[in-house]
Amino acid sequence: MRRIAERVGIRAPSLYKHFPDKAAVEAGLQAQGMVRLAQDMEAAEAEIGDDPPLLVLASAYRQHALASPHLYRLTHTRPLARAALPEGLEDRAAMPLARAVHGDIDIARTFWAFAHGMVMLELDGRFPPGADLDAAWRTGCEAFAQAIRIKSRGGSA
Amino acid sequence: MRRIAERVGIRAPSLYKHFPDKAAVEAGLQAQGMVRLAQDMEAAEAEIGDDPPLLVLASAYRQHALASPHLYRLTHTRPLARAALPEGLEDRAAMPLARAVHGDIDIARTFWAFAHGMVMLELDGRFPPGADLDAAWRTGCEAFAQAIRIKSRGGSA
DNA sequence: ACCCCATAGCTAACGGCGTTAGCCGCGTTG
DNA sequence: CAACGCGGCTAACGCCGTTAGCTATGGGGT
């Protein structure tokens, strides 16, 4: 809080004239993080073209997280302060993935967990130094793409 | 540190006669967390039988994390203090999964990320209240099992 | 047998954290 | 023109990890 205050040219206690406590500041930053995620995912979706959709979304997700790791952590590694979130934002951020998996909620959640896990392990420096993370991302995306194909065998073409 | 000391019937500064600092205590706990993980994964591997290996390992992993969430966090959400780790322990914990994926390192890493992501999202209360997590776990395990089958089509039977 | 010193406890205190209490000046509003 | 509230400020509280420095106890060497 003191450091945030300093960046704004203010003393720490004055922050409490604008936010009730640290948690509220974090909630505001979470909202910002969700907005940026939604924007980045929508931008990625628009650029899918003929590439594998999951791989495009996954690459964008990874880049999103690595570009501002602190904000990513703040946004995604604690309970989401939904009360302080613009209405519909959470869904908006999830829609590009939901469309890519043809609305299959289990695959969506599973793929989300995969991407979040990959990102967190990378941010936390958990992979061995030489690990080929691009290959791992590719492998994961292909596995889920295959799962979608199988699941929709009886639903569409 | 004061709370740990109290549990041992000691004052906080006396802890520093046994550990150089808080990070060293955490490293010790990380080592304990890794030992338990290795034990739990080995136990799961022994009970695979005719069940899907990935699903058995995944269930054990999830149970392991949910059984002591604080220790799981401490062990797996920060850089691993490898220097303070018994030699070979990290590999030992990874072996059951490595065997289940027939040594495919990319699938192993990917599956690990999936499991870690699922666990972290659950621990952080990130899933919507009614979410069917068992179904998500099942879906993920099946997707990776399928990926293994495809990959080994040219290698073994 | 005795001395010595390492071990392992203690209290006091430091700087940093989030936070609260209380003060003050300025600008807007009735 | 007075009143009030908004948004700054300082001082201080209780928590945190950590350090300095004191002390008692107990095992080993002469």
Side-chain angles (χ1 to χ4, degrees):
Chain A
M1 295 300 274
R2 284 180 229 255
R3 253 175 259 138
I4 291 174
E6 190 184 359
R7 284 256 273 189
V8 185
I10 254 179
R11 295 299 157 86
S14 301
L15 280 179
Y16 290 80
K17 292 291 162 72
H18 303 269
F19 295 89
D21 53 20
K22 191 187 173 189
V25 178
E26 291 175 342
L29 289 168
Q30 267 192 336
Q32 232 178 285
M34 287 300 286
V35 168
R36 292 195 196 176
L37 177 62
Q39 291 170 342
D40 288 350
M41 296 314 283
E42 284 163 357
E45 187 181 29
E47 292 184 4
I48 285 178
D50 292 333
D51 297 324
L54 289 188
L55 190 55
V56 173
L57 291 180
S59 298
Y61 192 87
R62 183 183 179 195
Q63 208 170 336
H64 167 86
L66 297 186
S68 30
H70 296 310
L71 184 56
Y72 182 86
R73 276 200 149 85
L74 189 50
T75 307
H76 299 287
T77 67
R78 62 197 71 200
L80 185 58
R82 295 195 168 86
L85 224 57
E87 176 137 352
L89 176 56
E90 196 179 1
D91 289 346
R92 195 187 133 207
M95 277 313 295
L97 174 58
R99 283 188 282 266
V101 300
H102 307 344
D104 186 313
I105 186 75
D106 288 324
I107 293 198
R109 278 209 256 272
T110 297
F111 188 75
W112 172 34
F114 158 67
H116 179 64
M118 285 295 294
V119 158
M120 289 312 298
L121 291 172
E122 185 171 8
L123 289 183
D124 287 336
R126 279 304 191 126
F127 290 114
D132 188 347
L133 299 189
D134 290 316
W137 278 97
R138 245 180 289 119
T139 300
C141 290
E142 281 161 19
F144 287 111
Q146 181 68 21
I148 294 173
R149 256 173 263 133
I150 293 176
K151 273 219 179 188
S152 61
R153 193 103 344 135
S156 69
Chain B
M1 296 298 273
R2 283 179 229 255
R3 253 176 259 137
I4 291 174
E6 190 183 359
R7 284 258 273 189
V8 186
I10 255 178
R11 295 298 157 85
S14 301
L15 279 179
Y16 290 79
K17 292 292 162 71
H18 304 269
F19 296 90
D21 52 20
K22 191 188 174 188
V25 178
E26 291 174 343
L29 289 168
Q30 267 193 336
Q32 232 177 283
M34 288 300 286
V35 167
R36 292 195 196 178
L37 177 63
Q39 292 171 340
D40 288 350
M41 296 314 282
E42 285 163 356
E45 186 181 29
E47 291 185 5
I48 286 179
D50 293 334
D51 297 322
L54 289 188
L55 190 54
V56 173
L57 291 180
S59 299
Y61 193 87
R62 183 183 180 196
Q63 209 170 337
H64 167 87
L66 297 186
S68 32
H70 297 308
L71 184 56
Y72 182 87
R73 276 198 148 84
L74 190 50
T75 307
H76 299 286
T77 67
R78 61 198 71 200
L80 185 58
R82 295 196 167 85
L85 224 56
E87 175 137 352
L89 176 56
E90 195 179 3
D91 289 345
R92 196 188 132 207
M95 277 313 294
L97 173 57
R99 282 187 283 265
V101 299
H102 305 346
D104 186 311
I105 186 77
D106 288 324
I107 294 199
R109 277 209 257 271
T110 297
F111 188 75
W112 172 33
F114 158 67
H116 179 63
M118 285 295 294
V119 159
M120 289 312 297
L121 291 173
E122 186 170 7
L123 289 184
D124 286 336
R126 280 304 190 126
F127 289 114
D132 187 346
L133 299 190
D134 290 316
W137 278 97
R138 246 181 287 121
T139 300
C141 290
E142 281 162 19
F144 287 112
Q146 182 67 21
I148 294 172
R149 256 174 262 133
I150 292 176
K151 273 218 179 189
S152 61
R153 195 130 303 161
S156 69

